[in-house]
Coordinates of all heavy atoms in Angstrom, one line a residue:
M1 N 0.8 -1.2 0.0 CA 0.0 0.0 0.0 C 0.9 1.2 0.0 O 1.9 1.3 0.7 CB -0.9 0.0 1.2 CG -1.8 1.2 1.1 SD -3.1 1.5 2.2 CE -3.9 0.3 2.9
D2 N 0.5 2.2 -0.8 CA 1.3 3.5 -0.9 C 1.0 4.4 0.2 O -0.1 4.5 0.8 CB 1.0 4.2 -2.2 CG 1.4 3.4 -3.4 OD1 2.5 2.7 -3.3 OD2 0.8 3.6 -4.5
N3 N 2.0 5.1 0.6 CA 1.8 6.2 1.7 C 1.2 7.4 1.0 O 1.3 7.6 -0.2 CB 3.2 6.6 2.2 CG 3.8 5.5 3.1 OD1 3.1 4.7 3.7 ND2 5.1 5.5 3.2
L4 N 0.5 8.2 1.8 CA -0.1 9.4 1.3 C 0.9 10.3 0.7 O 0.7 10.9 -0.4 CB -0.9 10.1 2.4 CG -1.6 11.3 2.0 CD1 -2.7 11.0 0.9 CD2 -2.3 11.9 3.2
S5 N 2.0 10.4 1.3 CA 3.1 11.3 0.7 C 3.6 10.8 -0.6 O 3.9 11.6 -1.5 CB 4.3 11.4 1.7 OG 4.8 10.1 1.9
D6 N 3.6 9.5 -0.9 CA 4.0 9.0 -2.1 C 3.0 9.3 -3.2 O 3.3 9.6 -4.4 CB 4.2 7.4 -2.1 CG 5.4 7.1 -1.2 OD1 6.3 7.9 -1.1 OD2 5.4 5.9 -0.7
I7 N 1.7 9.2 -2.9 CA 0.7 9.4 -3.8 C 0.7 10.9 -4.2 O 0.6 11.3 -5.4 CB -0.7 9.0 -3.2 CG1 -0.8 7.5 -3.0 CG2 -1.8 9.5 -4.1 CD1 -2.0 7.0 -2.3
L8 N 0.8 11.8 -3.2 CA 0.8 13.2 -3.4 C 2.0 13.7 -4.1 O 2.0 14.7 -4.9 CB 0.6 14.0 -2.1 CG -0.8 13.8 -1.5 CD1 -0.8 14.6 -0.1 CD2 -1.9 14.3 -2.4
S9 N 3.1 13.1 -4.0 CA 4.3 13.5 -4.7 C 4.2 13.3 -6.2 O 4.9 14.0 -6.9 CB 5.5 12.7 -4.1 OG 5.5 11.4 -4.5
H10 N 3.4 12.5 -6.7 CA 3.2 12.2 -8.1 C 2.0 13.0 -8.7 O 1.8 13.0 -9.9 CB 3.0 10.8 -8.4 CG 4.1 9.9 -8.0 ND1 5.4 10.0 -8.5 CD2 4.2 8.9 -7.0 CE1 6.2 9.2 -7.9 NE2 5.5 8.5 -7.0
K11 N 1.3 13.8 -7.8 CA 0.1 14.6 -8.3 C 0.6 15.9 -8.9 O 1.5 16.5 -8.4 CB -0.8 14.8 -7.1 CG -2.0 15.6 -7.3 CD -3.1 14.8 -7.8 CE -4.4 15.6 -7.9 NZ -5.0 15.5 -9.2
D12 N -0.1 16.3 -10.0 CA 0.2 17.5 -10.6 C -0.7 18.6 -10.1 O -1.9 18.6 -10.3 CB 0.0 17.4 -12.1 CG 0.3 18.6 -12.9 OD1 1.0 19.5 -12.4 OD2 -0.2 18.8 -14.0
F13 N -0.1 19.6 -9.4 CA -0.9 20.6 -8.7 C -0.9 21.9 -9.5 O -1.4 22.9 -9.0 CB -0.4 20.9 -7.3 CG -0.8 19.8 -6.3 CD1 0.2 18.9 -5.9 CD2 -2.0 19.6 -5.9 CE1 -0.1 17.9 -5.0 CE2 -2.3 18.6 -5.0 CZ -1.3 17.7 -4.6
D14 N -0.5 21.9 -10.7 CA -0.4 23.1 -11.6 C -1.9 23.5 -12.0 O -2.7 22.7 -12.2 CB 0.4 22.9 -12.8 CG 1.9 22.7 -12.5 OD1 2.3 23.2 -11.4 OD2 2.6 22.1 -13.3
T15 N -2.1 24.8 -12.1 CA -3.4 25.3 -12.5 C -3.6 25.0 -14.0 O -2.7 25.3 -14.8 CB -3.4 26.8 -12.3 OG1 -3.1 27.1 -10.9 CG2 -4.8 27.4 -12.6
P16 N -4.7 24.5 -14.4 CA -5.0 24.2 -15.8 C -4.9 25.4 -16.7 O -5.3 26.5 -16.2 CB -6.4 23.6 -15.8 CG -6.6 23.1 -14.4 CD -5.8 24.0 -13.5
Q17 N -4.5 25.2 -17.9 CA -4.4 26.3 -18.8 C -5.7 27.1 -19.0 O -5.7 28.3 -19.2 CB -3.9 25.7 -20.2 CG -3.6 26.7 -21.3 CD -4.8 27.0 -22.1 OE1 -5.7 26.1 -22.3 NE2 -4.9 28.2 -22.7
E18 N -6.8 26.4 -19.1 CA -8.1 27.0 -19.3 C -8.4 28.0 -18.2 O -8.9 29.1 -18.4 CB -9.2 26.0 -19.3 CG -9.2 25.0 -20.5 CD -8.5 23.7 -20.1 OE1 -7.7 23.7 -19.2 OE2 -8.9 22.7 -20.8
I19 N -8.1 27.7 -16.9 CA -8.4 28.5 -15.8 C -7.5 29.8 -15.9 O -8.0 30.9 -15.7 CB -8.1 27.8 -14.5 CG1 -9.2 26.8 -14.2 CG2 -8.1 28.8 -13.3 CD1 -9.0 25.9 -13.0
M20 N -6.2 29.6 -16.2 CA -5.3 30.8 -16.3 C -5.8 31.7 -17.5 O -5.8 32.9 -17.3 CB -3.9 30.3 -16.5 CG -3.3 29.6 -15.3 SD -3.4 30.6 -13.8 CE -2.4 32.0 -14.3
A21 N -6.2 31.1 -18.6 CA -6.6 31.9 -19.7 C -7.9 32.7 -19.4 O -7.9 33.9 -19.8 CB -6.9 31.0 -20.9
I22 N -8.8 32.1 -18.7 CA -10.1 32.9 -18.4 C -9.8 34.0 -17.4 O -10.2 35.1 -17.5 CB -11.1 31.9 -17.8 CG1 -11.6 31.0 -18.9 CG2 -12.3 32.7 -17.2 CD1 -12.4 29.8 -18.4
K23 N -9.0 33.7 -16.3 CA -8.6 34.7 -15.3 C -7.9 35.9 -16.0 O -8.1 37.0 -15.7 CB -7.8 34.1 -14.2 CG -8.7 33.3 -13.3 CD -7.8 32.8 -12.1 CE -8.7 32.1 -11.1 NZ -8.0 31.7 -9.9
N24 N -6.9 35.6 -16.9 CA -6.2 36.6 -17.5 C -7.1 37.5 -18.4 O -6.9 38.7 -18.5 CB -5.0 36.0 -18.3 CG -3.9 35.5 -17.4 OD1 -3.8 36.0 -16.3 ND2 -3.1 34.6 -17.9
Y25 N -8.0 36.8 -19.1 CA -8.9 37.5 -20.0 C -9.8 38.5 -19.2 O -9.9 39.7 -19.6 CB -9.8 36.5 -20.7 CG -10.9 37.2 -21.6 CD1 -10.7 37.6 -22.9 CD2 -12.2 37.4 -21.0 CE1 -11.7 38.1 -23.6 CE2 -13.2 37.9 -21.8 CZ -12.9 38.3 -23.1 OH -13.9 38.9 -23.8
V26 N -10.3 38.1 -18.1 CA -11.2 39.0 -17.3 C -10.3 40.1 -16.7 O -10.7 41.3 -16.7 CB -11.9 38.2 -16.2 CG1 -12.6 39.1 -15.2 CG2 -12.9 37.2 -16.8
R27 N -9.1 39.8 -16.2 CA -8.3 40.8 -15.6 C -7.9 41.8 -16.7 O -7.9 43.0 -16.4 CB -7.0 40.1 -15.1 CG -6.3 40.9 -14.0 CD -5.2 40.1 -13.4 NE -5.6 38.9 -12.6 CZ -5.2 37.7 -12.8 NH1 -4.3 37.4 -13.7 NH2 -5.7 36.7 -12.1
R28 N -7.6 41.4 -17.9 CA -7.1 42.3 -18.9 C -8.2 43.2 -19.4 O -8.1 44.4 -19.6 CB -6.5 41.5 -20.0 CG -5.9 42.3 -21.2 CD -5.1 41.5 -22.2 NE -5.9 40.4 -22.7 CZ -5.6 39.1 -22.5 NH1 -4.6 38.7 -21.7 NH2 -6.4 38.1 -23.0
H29 N -9.4 42.6 -19.7 CA -10.5 43.3 -20.3 C -11.4 44.1 -19.3 O -12.0 45.1 -19.7 CB -11.4 42.4 -21.2 CG -10.7 41.9 -22.4 ND1 -9.9 40.8 -22.5 CD2 -10.6 42.5 -23.6 CE1 -9.4 40.7 -23.7 NE2 -9.8 41.7 -24.4
Y30 N -11.5 43.6 -18.1 CA -12.5 44.2 -17.2 C -11.9 44.6 -15.9 O -12.6 45.1 -15.0 CB -13.6 43.2 -16.9 CG -14.3 42.8 -18.2 CD1 -14.1 41.5 -18.7 CD2 -15.2 43.6 -18.8 CE1 -14.7 41.1 -19.9 CE2 -15.8 43.3 -20.0 CZ -15.6 42.0 -20.5 OH -16.1 41.6 -21.7
D31 N -10.6 44.4 -15.7 CA -9.8 44.8 -14.5 C -10.6 44.3 -13.2 O -10.9 45.0 -12.3 CB -9.7 46.3 -14.4 CG -8.7 46.7 -13.3 OD1 -7.8 45.9 -13.0 OD2 -8.8 47.8 -12.8
A32 N -11.0 43.0 -13.3 CA -11.7 42.4 -12.2 C -11.2 41.0 -11.9 O -10.5 40.4 -12.8 CB -13.2 42.3 -12.5
E33 N -11.5 40.4 -10.8 CA -11.1 39.1 -10.4 C -12.3 38.2 -10.4 O -13.4 38.6 -10.0 CB -10.5 39.0 -9.0 CG -9.1 39.8 -8.9 CD -8.0 39.2 -9.8 OE1 -7.9 38.0 -9.8 OE2 -7.3 40.0 -10.4
V34 N -12.1 36.9 -10.9 CA -13.2 35.9 -10.9 C -12.6 34.7 -10.3 O -11.4 34.4 -10.3 CB -13.8 35.7 -12.3 CG1 -14.5 36.9 -12.8 CG2 -12.7 35.2 -13.3
E35 N -13.5 33.8 -9.8 CA -13.1 32.5 -9.4 C -13.5 31.5 -10.5 O -14.6 31.6 -11.1 CB -13.8 32.1 -8.1 CG -13.3 32.8 -6.9 CD -14.0 32.3 -5.6 OE1 -14.6 31.3 -5.6 OE2 -13.9 33.1 -4.6
V36 N -12.6 30.6 -10.9 CA -12.9 29.7 -12.0 C -12.6 28.3 -11.4 O -11.6 28.0 -10.8 CB -11.9 30.0 -13.2 CG1 -12.2 29.0 -14.3 CG2 -12.1 31.4 -13.6
M37 N -13.6 27.4 -11.6 CA -13.5 26.0 -11.1 C -13.8 25.1 -12.3 O -14.8 25.2 -13.0 CB -14.4 25.8 -10.0 CG -14.3 24.5 -9.3 SD -15.2 24.4 -7.7 CE -16.9 24.4 -8.3
M38 N -12.9 24.1 -12.5 CA -13.1 23.1 -13.5 C -14.0 22.0 -13.0 O -13.7 21.5 -11.9 CB -11.8 22.5 -14.0 CG -10.9 23.5 -14.7 SD -11.1 23.7 -16.4 CE -10.7 22.1 -17.0
Q39 N -14.9 21.6 -13.8 CA -15.7 20.4 -13.5 C -15.6 19.4 -14.6 O -14.9 19.7 -15.6 CB -17.2 20.8 -13.2 CG -17.3 21.7 -12.0 CD -18.7 22.2 -11.8 OE1 -19.5 22.2 -12.8 NE2 -19.0 22.6 -10.6
Q40 N -16.2 18.3 -14.6 CA -16.0 17.3 -15.6 C -16.4 17.7 -17.0 O -15.7 17.6 -17.9 CB -16.7 16.0 -15.2 CG -16.4 14.8 -16.1 CD -17.0 13.5 -15.6 OE1 -17.7 13.5 -14.7 NE2 -16.7 12.5 -16.3
R41 N -17.6 18.3 -17.1 CA -18.1 18.7 -18.4 C -18.3 20.2 -18.5 O -18.8 20.7 -19.5 CB -19.4 18.1 -18.6 CG -19.3 16.6 -18.8 CD -20.6 15.9 -19.2 NE -20.4 14.5 -19.3 CZ -21.1 13.6 -18.6 NH1 -22.0 14.0 -17.7 NH2 -20.9 12.4 -18.7
S42 N -17.9 21.0 -17.5 CA -18.2 22.4 -17.5 C -17.1 23.2 -16.8 O -16.3 22.6 -16.0 CB -19.5 22.8 -16.9 OG -19.6 22.4 -15.6
I43 N -17.1 24.5 -17.0 CA -16.2 25.4 -16.3 C -17.1 26.4 -15.6 O -17.9 27.1 -16.2 CB -15.2 26.1 -17.2 CG1 -14.3 25.0 -17.9 CG2 -14.4 27.1 -16.5 CD1 -13.4 25.6 -18.9
L44 N -17.0 26.5 -14.3 CA -17.8 27.4 -13.5 C -17.0 28.7 -13.2 O -15.9 28.7 -12.8 CB -18.1 26.8 -12.1 CG -18.9 27.7 -11.1 CD1 -20.3 28.0 -11.7 CD2 -19.0 27.0 -9.8
I45 N -17.6 29.9 -13.6 CA -17.0 31.2 -13.5 C -17.9 32.0 -12.5 O -19.1 32.1 -12.8 CB -16.9 31.9 -14.8 CG1 -16.0 31.1 -15.8 CG2 -16.3 33.3 -14.6 CD1 -16.0 31.6 -17.2
S46 N -17.4 32.4 -11.4 CA -18.2 33.2 -10.5 C -17.5 34.5 -10.1 O -16.3 34.6 -10.0 CB -18.5 32.3 -9.2 OG -17.3 32.0 -8.6
A47 N -18.4 35.5 -9.8 CA -17.9 36.8 -9.4 C -19.0 37.4 -8.5 O -20.1 37.0 -8.5 CB -17.6 37.7 -10.6
R48 N -18.6 38.5 -7.8 CA -19.5 39.2 -6.9 C -20.4 40.1 -7.7 O -21.5 40.5 -7.2 CB -18.8 39.9 -5.9 CG -18.1 39.0 -4.9 CD -17.5 39.9 -3.8 NE -16.7 39.0 -2.8 CZ -17.3 38.4 -1.8 NH1 -18.6 38.6 -1.6 NH2 -16.6 37.6 -1.0
S49 N -20.0 40.6 -8.9 CA -20.7 41.6 -9.6 C -21.7 40.9 -10.6 O -21.3 40.2 -11.5 CB -19.7 42.5 -10.4 OG -20.4 43.3 -11.3
A50 N -23.0 41.2 -10.5 CA -23.9 40.7 -11.5 C -23.7 41.3 -12.9 O -23.9 40.6 -13.9 CB -25.4 41.0 -11.0
S51 N -23.3 42.6 -12.9 CA -23.1 43.2 -14.2 C -21.9 42.5 -14.9 O -21.9 42.3 -16.1 CB -22.9 44.7 -14.1 OG -21.8 45.0 -13.3
L52 N -20.9 42.2 -14.2 CA -19.7 41.5 -14.8 C -20.1 40.1 -15.3 O -19.7 39.8 -16.4 CB -18.6 41.4 -13.7 CG -17.3 40.6 -14.2 CD1 -16.7 41.3 -15.4 CD2 -16.3 40.5 -13.1
I53 N -20.8 39.4 -14.5 CA -21.3 38.1 -14.9 C -22.2 38.2 -16.2 O -22.0 37.4 -17.1 CB -22.0 37.3 -13.8 CG1 -21.0 37.0 -12.7 CG2 -22.8 36.1 -14.3 CD1 -20.0 36.0 -13.1
G54 N -23.0 39.2 -16.2 CA -23.9 39.4 -17.4 C -23.0 39.7 -18.6 O -23.3 39.2 -19.7
T55 N -22.0 40.5 -18.5 CA -21.2 40.8 -19.6 C -20.3 39.6 -20.0 O -20.2 39.4 -21.2 CB -20.2 42.0 -19.2 OG1 -21.0 43.1 -18.8 CG2 -19.3 42.4 -20.4
L56 N -19.8 38.9 -19.1 CA -19.1 37.7 -19.4 C -20.0 36.6 -20.1 O -19.5 36.0 -21.1 CB -18.5 37.0 -18.2 CG -17.4 37.9 -17.5 CD1 -16.9 37.2 -16.2 CD2 -16.2 38.1 -18.4
R57 N -21.2 36.6 -19.7 CA -22.1 35.6 -20.3 C -22.3 36.0 -21.8 O -22.4 35.1 -22.7 CB -23.5 35.7 -19.6 CG -24.3 34.5 -19.8 CD -25.6 34.5 -18.9 NE -25.3 33.9 -17.6 CZ -25.6 34.4 -16.5 NH1 -26.2 35.6 -16.4 NH2 -25.3 33.8 -15.4
L58 N -22.4 37.3 -22.1 CA -22.5 37.7 -23.5 C -21.2 37.4 -24.3 O -21.3 37.2 -25.5 CB -22.8 39.2 -23.6 CG -24.1 39.7 -23.1 CD1 -24.2 41.2 -23.0 CD2 -25.2 39.1 -23.9
N59 N -20.1 37.4 -23.6 CA -18.8 37.1 -24.3 C -18.4 35.6 -24.2 O -17.2 35.3 -24.4 CB -17.7 38.0 -23.7 CG -18.0 39.5 -24.1 OD1 -18.3 39.8 -25.2 ND2 -17.8 40.3 -23.1
A60 N -19.3 34.7 -23.9 CA -19.0 33.3 -23.7 C -18.3 32.7 -24.9 O -17.3 32.0 -24.7 CB -20.2 32.5 -23.3
P61 N -18.7 33.0 -26.1 CA -18.0 32.4 -27.3 C -16.5 32.8 -27.3 O -15.6 32.0 -27.6 CB -18.7 32.9 -28.5 CG -20.1 33.2 -28.0 CD -19.9 33.7 -26.6
A62 N -16.2 34.1 -27.1 CA -14.9 34.6 -27.1 C -14.0 33.9 -25.9 O -12.9 33.6 -26.1 CB -14.8 36.1 -26.9
I63 N -14.7 33.8 -24.8 CA -14.0 33.2 -23.6 C -13.6 31.7 -23.9 O -12.5 31.2 -23.7 CB -14.8 33.3 -22.4 CG1 -14.9 34.8 -22.0 CG2 -14.2 32.5 -21.2 CD1 -15.9 35.0 -20.9
K64 N -14.6 31.0 -24.5 CA -14.3 29.6 -24.9 C -13.2 29.5 -25.9 O -12.4 28.6 -25.8 CB -15.6 28.9 -25.5 CG -16.6 28.6 -24.4 CD -17.8 28.0 -25.0 CE -17.6 26.5 -25.3 NZ -18.8 25.7 -25.6
K65 N -13.1 30.4 -26.8 CA -12.1 30.4 -27.9 C -10.7 30.7 -27.2 O -9.8 30.0 -27.5 CB -12.4 31.4 -28.9 CG -11.4 31.4 -30.1 CD -11.9 32.4 -31.1 CE -10.9 32.4 -32.3 NZ -11.2 33.4 -33.3
I66 N -10.7 31.6 -26.3 CA -9.4 32.0 -25.7 C -8.9 30.8 -24.8 O -7.8 30.5 -24.7 CB -9.5 33.3 -24.9 CG1 -9.6 34.5 -25.9 CG2 -8.4 33.5 -23.9 CD1 -9.9 35.8 -25.3
A67 N -9.9 30.2 -24.1 CA -9.5 29.1 -23.2 C -9.3 27.8 -24.0 O -8.8 26.8 -23.4 CB -10.7 28.9 -22.2
Q68 N -9.6 27.8 -25.2 CA -9.4 26.6 -26.1 C -10.1 25.4 -25.4 O -9.4 24.4 -25.2 CB -7.9 26.3 -26.3 CG -7.3 27.5 -27.1 CD -5.8 27.3 -27.2 OE1 -5.2 26.3 -26.6 NE2 -5.2 28.1 -28.0
T69 N -11.4 25.5 -25.2 CA -12.1 24.4 -24.5 C -13.5 24.2 -25.2 O -14.0 25.1 -25.8 CB -12.3 24.7 -23.0 OG1 -12.9 23.6 -22.4 CG2 -13.2 25.9 -22.8
E70 N -13.9 23.0 -25.1 CA -15.3 22.7 -25.6 C -16.3 22.5 -24.5 O -17.4 22.2 -24.7 CB -15.2 21.4 -26.5 CG -14.5 21.5 -27.8 CD -15.2 22.6 -28.7 OE1 -16.4 22.6 -28.7 OE2 -14.4 23.4 -29.3
K71 N -15.8 22.6 -23.2 CA -16.6 22.5 -22.1 C -17.6 23.6 -22.0 O -17.3 24.8 -22.5 CB -15.8 22.5 -20.8 CG -14.9 21.3 -20.6 CD -14.2 21.3 -19.3 CE -13.4 20.0 -19.2 NZ -12.8 19.9 -17.9
S72 N -18.8 23.4 -21.5 CA -19.8 24.5 -21.3 C -19.3 25.4 -20.2 O -18.7 25.0 -19.2 CB -21.1 23.9 -21.1 OG -21.2 23.3 -19.8
L73 N -19.7 26.7 -20.4 CA -19.3 27.7 -19.4 C -20.6 28.0 -18.5 O -21.7 28.2 -19.1 CB -18.8 29.0 -20.0 CG -17.6 28.9 -20.9 CD1 -17.2 30.2 -21.5 CD2 -16.4 28.3 -20.1
V74 N -20.4 28.0 -17.2 CA -21.5 28.2 -16.3 C -21.1 29.5 -15.5 O -20.0 29.5 -15.0 CB -21.7 27.1 -15.3 CG1 -22.8 27.4 -14.3 CG2 -22.0 25.8 -16.1
F75 N -22.0 30.5 -15.5 CA -21.7 31.7 -14.9 C -22.6 31.9 -13.6 O -23.7 31.6 -13.6 CB -22.0 32.9 -15.8 CG -21.1 32.9 -17.0 CD1 -21.5 32.3 -18.2 CD2 -19.9 33.5 -17.0 CE1 -20.8 32.2 -19.3 CE2 -19.0 33.4 -18.1 CZ -19.5 32.8 -19.3
R76 N -21.9 32.3 -12.5 CA -22.6 32.3 -11.2 C -22.3 33.6 -10.5 O -21.1 34.0 -10.4 CB -22.3 31.1 -10.4 CG -23.2 31.0 -9.2 CD -23.1 29.6 -8.6 NE -23.7 28.6 -9.5 CZ -23.4 27.3 -9.5 NH1 -22.5 26.9 -8.6 NH2 -24.0 26.5 -10.3
I77 N -23.3 34.2 -9.9 CA -23.0 35.4 -9.0 C -22.9 34.9 -7.6 O -23.7 34.1 -7.1 CB -24.2 36.4 -9.1 CG1 -24.5 36.8 -10.5 CG2 -24.0 37.6 -8.2 CD1 -25.8 37.4 -10.7
K78 N -21.8 35.4 -6.9 CA -21.6 34.9 -5.5 C -22.5 35.6 -4.6 O -22.9 36.7 -4.6 CB -20.1 35.3 -5.1 CG -19.1 34.4 -5.7 CD -17.8 34.6 -4.9 CE -16.7 34.9 -5.8 NZ -15.5 35.2 -5.2

């Protein structure tokens, strides 16, 4: 049986490229921070501002293109 430290030493803890691309896009275009969480079939993007989420929802095709993903985007207000 493997030790927990052995299992964790082989785990990749780097942030996925899609998450970094989405955060950089929002930071560059809207000067705001969002939380991005990857799920199996979707990417969850959440922010405190309803207007920011509404604007991001309108720009979903551009965000998917920049993130180079086929996963569906889910937008949520915190």
Side-chain angles (χ1 to χ4, degrees):
M1 185 176 325
D2 292 330
N3 290 333
L4 181 60
S5 61
D6 292 336
I7 295 170
L8 292 177
S9 68
H10 300 298
K11 178 84 172 130
D12 182 20
F13 289 105
D14 293 337
T15 305
Q17 181 270 334
E18 294 97 332
I19 290 177
M20 293 304 300
I22 293 169
K23 285 185 174 187
N24 288 335
Y25 175 85
V26 173
R27 202 174 294 125
R28 184 174 51 248
H29 288 89
Y30 303 104
D31 193 29
E33 295 294 322
V34 293
E35 288 183 17
V36 182
M37 188 169 66
M38 297 270 297
Q39 297 174 339
Q40 188 173 4
R41 295 187 181 120
S42 63
I43 298 174
L44 176 66
I45 302 170
S46 60
R48 292 186 182 272
S49 170
S51 60
L52 175 61
I53 290 297
T55 303
L56 292 176
R57 200 174 272 132
L58 292 173
N59 293 316
I63 294 171
K64 284 180 83 167
K65 185 176 179 181
I66 287 172
Q68 298 175 351
T69 186
E70 291 300 318
K71 293 183 177 187
S72 64
L73 299 179
V74 178
F75 298 93
R76 191 166 290 159
I77 304 166
K78 286 195 229 175

